[in-house]
Amino acid sequence: AQTVTQSQPEMSVQEAETVTLSCTYDTSESDYYLFWYKQPPSRQMILVIRQEAYKQQNATENRFSVNFQKAAKSFSLKISDSQLGDAAMYFCAYRSALIPAVGANSKLTFGKGITLSVRP
Amino acid sequence: DGGITQSPKYLFRKEGQNVTLSCEQNLNHDAMYWYRQDPGQGLRLIYYSQIVNDFQKGDIAEGYSVSREKKESFPLTVTSAQKNPTAFYLCASSIDRTDTQYFGPGTRLTVL
């Protein structure tokens, strides 16, 4: 079974600075997807960024980028020019890329999350 | 506006009562999911449905039931058999069973 670990429960960053959130995972599969989701105080889960394991290039979305190290099974999220609106819980998640057989599970496996605060 | 809606936002239930949480999407997605979130925890999968009239148990299905009679709707019933139902419940959908999942705003269920 796959596991996702976020070992830092909380982090803090000064507004306009850069912060990196860590995530490691364990899998025996070679093809999979990794995600970072943001959960603000409203509690709706918002997709931040997605990475396909077969792609060597790290994904980027505006101020958000990832450092994907497949051999080390590490998937960190870098937030540049941090803004007050970035304050939220951030969850790392894993999903297999294997095409599920009918009835099989295409679930996301989540880490426990990290609470990011932004200091003005 | 396309999206996923969940209602109600807050729900209170007495012990021993069944309660149904609504999830509707107008994204024309085939697959839908129900997750449970407890404080300090990630999300755990309760049930999922890949297509109308089909659904499968997730990791923590005991005490829950679902139906998928329409493509856009995937209601979750929390039964009296669920030992600890107080939690935040999130519904998600995806184009198909392999694509990225998008989430609704959630329902906070409290058992009194």
Side-chain angles (χ1 to χ4, degrees), chain A residues 44, chain B residues 1-7 22-27 29 31-33 72 90-94 101-106:
Chain A
Q44 178 157 9
Chain B
D1 274 314
I4 305 170
T5 58
Q6 291 186 242
S7 61
S22 169
C23 177
E24 304 274 335
Q25 54 96 2
N26 61 3
L27 301 169
H29 286 177
M32 297 186 75
Y33 312 81
E72 59 269 23
L90 285 154
C91 177
S93 71
S94 60
Q101 295 178 24
Y102 296 92
F103 287 82

Side-chain angles (χ1 to χ4, degrees), chain B residues 42-94:
Chain B
L43 279 63
R44 293 181 290 167
L45 182 67
I46 305 172
Y47 266 98
Y48 66 102
S49 169
Q50 295 171 353
I51 200 167
V52 174
N53 294 322
D54 176 75
F55 50 83
Q56 305 294 330
K57 292 182 179 180
D59 298 324
I60 55 167
E62 185 176 351
Y64 299 97
S65 66
V66 293
S67 62
R68 187 85 187 276
E69 297 176 2
K70 298 186 296 183
K71 186 175 185 177
E72 59 269 23
S73 178
F74 190 41
L76 173 74
T77 296
V78 184
T79 75
S80 57
Q82 169 49 233
K83 298 277 189 274
N84 185 21
T86 294
F88 188 64
Y89 291 87
L90 285 154
C91 177
S93 71
S94 60

Side-chain angles (χ1 to χ4, degrees), chain A residues 18-40:
Chain A
T18 295
V19 64
T20 299
L21 310 182
S22 301
C23 173
T24 59
Y25 58 94
D26 189 28
T27 184
S28 58
E29 298 176 335
S30 60
D31 202 10
Y32 47 86
Y33 300 98
L34 296 165
F35 304 85
W36 279 98
Y37 281 91
K38 171 185 177 181
Q39 189 177 43

Side-chain angles (χ1 to χ4, degrees), chain B residues 32-45:
Chain B
M32 297 186 75
Y33 312 81
W34 274 106
Y35 291 89
R36 170 181 172 140
Q37 185 179 24
D38 293 286
Q41 301 292 323
L43 279 63
R44 293 181 290 167
L45 182 67

Side-chain angles (χ1 to χ4, degrees), chain A residues 97-119:
Chain A
L98 293 174
I99 302 297
V102 174
N105 197 335
S106 58
K107 71 173 184 178
L108 286 167
T109 299
F110 285 86
K112 291 188 176 182
I114 177 171
T115 300
L116 177 67
S117 59
V118 180
R119 303 186 302 274

